[in-house]
Amino acid sequence: MSEEINKQIKDYYIDPVIFTHKFVKSCDVCICSGECCYYGVYTDLKEHDKIMEMKDRIIKSMDDSQTTDTSKWFEAPEKDEDFESGIAVGTELHNGKCVFLDRQGFCTLQKIAYEDGEFKWKYKPLYCILFPIVIYQDTITVDDEHLERMHYCNKSENQTSTIYDACKDELKYLLGEDGFKELELYREEYLSQNGLKERKFAEK
Ligand code: SF4
Ligand code: SF4
């Protein structure tokens, strides 16, 4: 995390690195195969419970690269204060990818939301929605450690945008429209105070 964290919006501190950190313009699983899902994710206990309530529906949309044995979907719960309930539950891996990732690189939790005409992120864990953004010690920052493992979105030749510009919908989801407007104002102030121009980050 950067050392200039003093702005707070709603429940979160803002690490200004999200304004300048380079990233691809948008995710494209046809290119990256959903590589960020190869390692699984930590869900909040409440998210885990919601997923398990949906297990029969999820199984219907899985392919044969995935396991329908629900006892193999999650690791044991563990304490973690970065999660709302104070308990995190990691997803397991199967065939070298998160149990919920299908062979085409799509998340089954997002796929069933589309198939059923629901909001696309209705069943998706928060940390999956946010990546490459992460909430660490109440701060919205960049998940550098995980991003560094990516072969598409972490390659400088593909990074023609910034995390802020590529993840506006995700930030709105987290902060709400009012919180996002406050974030935009803070970004303008931050870039101007630091003599940074937007153009600089939109180019290779
Ligand atoms: S974050 Fe990277 S690896 Fe994950 S879907 Fe987006 S482009 Fe692909
Ligand atoms: S739950 Fe879905 S988005 Fe999250 S890591 Fe697994 S496949 Fe990827």
Side-chain angles (χ1 to χ4, degrees):
M1 287 200 291
S2 73
E3 290 169 3
E4 330 164 68
I5 301 165
N6 46 36
K7 174 74 178 173
Q8 189 173 1
I9 300 176
K10 298 196 174 173
D11 294 336
Y12 306 106
Y13 291 97
I14 308 298
D15 184 347
V17 72
I18 63 169
F19 302 138
T20 55
H21 198 299
K22 291 190 171 186
F23 194 58
V24 291
K25 271 206 174 97
S26 60
C27 294
D28 185 343
V29 297
C30 296
I31 303 173
C32 69
S33 311
E35 185 186 8
C36 56
C37 300
Y38 289 2
Y39 303 82
V41 71
Y42 281 105
T43 68
D44 185 272
L45 181 62
K46 286 184 197 162
E47 294 173 325
H48 158 275
D49 293 349
K50 193 161 87 176
I51 290 168
M52 289 311 280
E53 279 168 25
M54 301 283 300
K55 62 181 189 310
D56 294 338
R57 174 64 192 90
I58 294 166
I59 287 169
K60 272 190 198 161
S61 287
M62 283 180 149
D63 63 33
D64 59 13
S65 76
Q66 299 174 275
T67 178
T68 55
D69 178 351
T70 58
S71 71
K72 294 187 175 155
W73 283 6
F74 288 97
E75 297 170 350
E78 54 190 270
K79 284 188 184 170
D80 192 325
E81 292 310 317
D82 280 326
F83 290 80
E84 200 188 331
S85 69
I87 298 174
V89 194
T91 63
E92 289 279 10
L93 304 184
H94 184 78
N95 280 333
K97 55 189 176 65
C98 173
V99 287
F100 299 112
L101 195 71
D102 72 13
R103 72 152 58 78
Q104 290 177 299
F106 293 110
C107 172
T108 310
L109 305 178
Q110 182 156 338
K111 196 167 74 175
I112 62 169
Y114 275 122
E115 286 171 355
D116 295 350
E118 300 283 0
F119 173 56
K120 63 180 175 178
W121 292 333
K122 185 172 179 182
Y123 310 116
K124 204 168 176 179
L126 179 63
Y127 282 87
C128 301
I129 296 169
L130 295 181
F131 182 75
I133 290 168
V134 71
I135 301 163
Y136 177 65
Q137 296 179 341
D138 296 328
T139 303
I140 297 174
T141 185
V142 176
D143 189 348
D144 281 325
E145 213 176 294
H146 191 30
L147 189 55
E148 273 169 21
R149 300 192 275 210
M150 301 301 116
H151 293 89
Y152 166 63
C153 53
N154 195 42
K155 287 281 166 287
S156 59
E157 60 268 32
N158 301 325
Q159 293 178 321
T160 56
S161 186
T162 63
I163 285 185
Y164 174 84
D165 283 310
C167 302
K168 285 183 176 172
D169 286 348
E170 290 78 358
L171 289 162
K172 280 180 196 166
Y173 178 83
L174 185 64
L175 296 171
E177 288 288 344
D178 55 336
F180 182 74
K181 278 194 185 123
E182 209 182 318
L183 185 69
E184 273 191 317
L185 292 175
Y186 173 52
R187 173 177 174 270
E188 281 166 25
E189 184 191 307
Y190 175 81
L191 294 182
S192 138
Q193 275 177 1
N194 289 278
L196 302 169
K197 283 187 183 159
E198 189 166 330
R199 189 162 41 88
K200 185 176 168 190
F201 303 107
E203 293 169 352
K204 275 190 199 178

